[in-house]
Amino acid sequence: MAVTARPALDAQKLRADFPIFEQKIHGKPLAYLDSAVSSQKPRQVLDAMNVFYETSYTNVHRGVYTLSERATDAYEGAREKVRAFVNAPSAREVIFLRNATEALNLVAYSWGLNNLGPGDVVLVSELEHHSNFVPWQYMANRTGADFRMLPLDEHGELRLDLLDETVGDGNVKVVATNLVSNSLGTISPVEKVAAWAHERGAIYVCDAAQAAPHRTVDVQALGCDFLAVSGHKMCGPSGVGFLWGRAELLESMEPFLMGGHMIRQVRFETTTWGELPHKFEAGTAPAAEAVGLGAAVDYLTDVGLDAIAEHEHALAAYALERLADVGGITSYGPPADRRAGIVSFNVDGIHPHDVAQVLDSEGIAIRAGHHCCQPLMTKLGVAATNRASFYLYTVPDEIDRLVEGLHKVRKILG
Ligand SMILES: Cc1ncc(COP(=O)(O)O)c(C=O)c1O
């Protein structure tokens, strides 16, 4: 192992918690370098969901019988874990949804439809995932607001010096950016963006899909108004994520989805809405998934978010250093000290899909594509990149294997 920093966590030991690593792919141990797309799941999460299904399962917030109360307690217990995880002032500000995409759409629709209009400005950045881009672009078009993009510098970092210029004298109403970029690993100083937005009378929406799994996220310290997270990227199951929002904003908003559970009273003439968080949780809740997410929060908290961030940071630095030695590699994004555990690169003259396919034959899983960031790809002047992304179970040996794999790619296809 060539990583010089003392390891803050024992990734090799943690791997034993993840059954997926017990298999081989094409006869080789699985090197899963695609955690930014979705993380693997530890036994602790799988067991928590299994136990819930075997002992406590029924619909939540419905019955008055014992099982129903048990299920509801488990679901609401998970909400409290999530509240503590992001240091939200109140659990009623935590809305369980399918994923970050749904959370961002909820804000764009429920807040945007009633708060945006001609003369207003919606500001995103060139670094956004489509989930934090398309809903805002759509809502701006639909309401007649202006849709603007904050440019990036040559390292893929936000040009905060251009905030005023990008907006001009437009009435900026909402600023939406990610905290960690899924494409480049850029960690953005969103506290500054939030403070700027508030000075201009705008709200700030934080896409924390790539941040919450990997570093401490504190909604109060960040100063955001909304925060979107996906459970499946943070060792939790797919099918659950959450939105945190400031209570006074959530209270002022119309529901996003309507139906069972989100109402106070339904009459032929009109319907009134339930209290937070129920107003935004229409239909049968993802109860077992929320329980799994609660177990994931426990797991990550136990390992330590600072230790995870430090571990991934060391891996990113190591990967950038080793990739530079391969030759014929163009890498994208900020220097190692300003990025999370994500490394995007291209092998000169070889399509990313071909690179990923050769690596797969070595048991190495990386992502190849536009990473749902086509505006960023346009900015970089490429159609796609390769992306290796790391997590608490990633070991330096997997990066060594990636580098050996890339030598093979160049030999076969170069
Ligand atoms: C930065 C970022 N935002 C939003 C999303 C959307 O997450 P999901 O597909 O879980 O809704 C992703 C997924 O890759 C992401 O990386």
Side-chain angles (χ1 to χ4, degrees), residues 43 115 140 205 221 262 272 315:
R43 249 185 216 97
N115 286 284
V205 180
M262 48 72 71
T272 50
L315 290 171

Side-chain angles (χ1 to χ4, degrees), residues 36-37 98-102 104 127-132 178 180-183 207-210 229-233 367 371-372 387:
V37 84
R98 274 190 308 143
N99 47 39
T101 301
E102 192 174 15
L104 293 163
L127 200 49
E128 300 317 306
H129 187 281
H130 295 162
S131 294
N132 198 30
N178 60 57
V180 172
S181 153
N182 63 307
S183 271
D207 171 1
Q210 294 293 345
V229 174
S230 286
H232 69 93
K233 293 182 195 286
R367 176 91 184 267
H371 317 297
C372 299
R387 180 188 69 187

